[in-house]
Amino acid sequence: MTSSLRTGAVAVAALAAALALTACGSDDASKDSGADSSAGATPGGGGNGSGESAGSGATDAAALEGTWVGLTDAKNVTVSIAGGKVALVADQSVCQGDVKDMGGEPMLALTCTGGSTDRTMGAIDSVDGTKLVLSWDGGVKDTLTKADPGKLPSGMPSLPDVADLPEVPAP
């Protein structure tokens, strides 16, 4: 029962982090002042508007912005990217890091609590504005869907009823 409570608490913390990060961003390119050109720069040339550069196969780092959710091995995965910063919650791991330019391709470089190494360096296999596919050096592959800004994603686990929680003995 404690494991369910812990998993629920991690899911709530992930959701709060995801919403906090996405509330800071904007999907409206006309409002972008261009002040942070490193996060929105397109490595490898001009883009075709879909988040992938024409010809070179390079990914536009700006296309990664937002909150992405999904299931991998029947466990929730949430990735939030804003301003080149990344927060990830997967299973019982909480990770944070940056979008880094690795040889002309953006990659996710993360540090995780608890020593987890499954998701510390992630390559972007594809991103199209609604779907993000990440391959991690630890062998995990995540296929995620973009969450609507300001809305809770569907399919997230719920917390157990208060009646289901174990009694805490008095000190």
Side-chain angles (χ1 to χ4, degrees), residues 24-73:
C24 297
S26 171
D27 289 335
D28 189 353
S30 66
K31 293 181 183 176
D32 187 11
S33 67
D36 185 10
S37 60
S38 64
T42 304
N48 63 7
S50 68
E52 296 187 27
S53 295
S56 71
T59 302
D60 179 3
L64 300 173
E65 297 275 323
T67 298
W68 304 86
V69 295
L71 294 174
T72 300
D73 297 328

Side-chain angles (χ1 to χ4, degrees), residues 3 7 10-11 13 17 19 41 43 53 63 78 83 90-91 114-115 118 127 140 150 159 164 169:
S3 176
T7 302
V10 168
L19 289 174
S53 295
T78 302
D91 194 17
D118 289 345
V127 61
V140 178
L159 292 175
D164 294 341

Side-chain angles (χ1 to χ4, degrees), residues 40-136:
T42 304
N48 63 7
S50 68
E52 296 187 27
S53 295
S56 71
T59 302
D60 179 3
L64 300 173
E65 297 275 323
T67 298
W68 304 86
V69 295
L71 294 174
T72 300
D73 297 328
K75 297 185 179 174
N76 289 311
V77 177
T78 302
V79 177
S80 288
I81 304 172
K85 299 291 183 190
V86 182
L88 176 142
V89 177
D91 194 17
Q92 294 184 356
S93 298
V94 178
C95 310
Q96 63 183 4
D98 300 293
V99 177
K100 301 245 181 201
D101 183 1
M102 303 287 194
E105 290 289 329
M107 293 186 71
L108 308 183
L110 308 178
T111 303
C112 301
T113 60
S116 174
T117 58
D118 289 345
R119 292 178 172 93
T120 54
M121 184 61 70
I124 291 89
D125 288 348
S126 66
V127 61
D128 67 5
T130 59
K131 181 176 159 186
L132 171 65
V133 180
L134 299 169
S135 290
W136 299 95

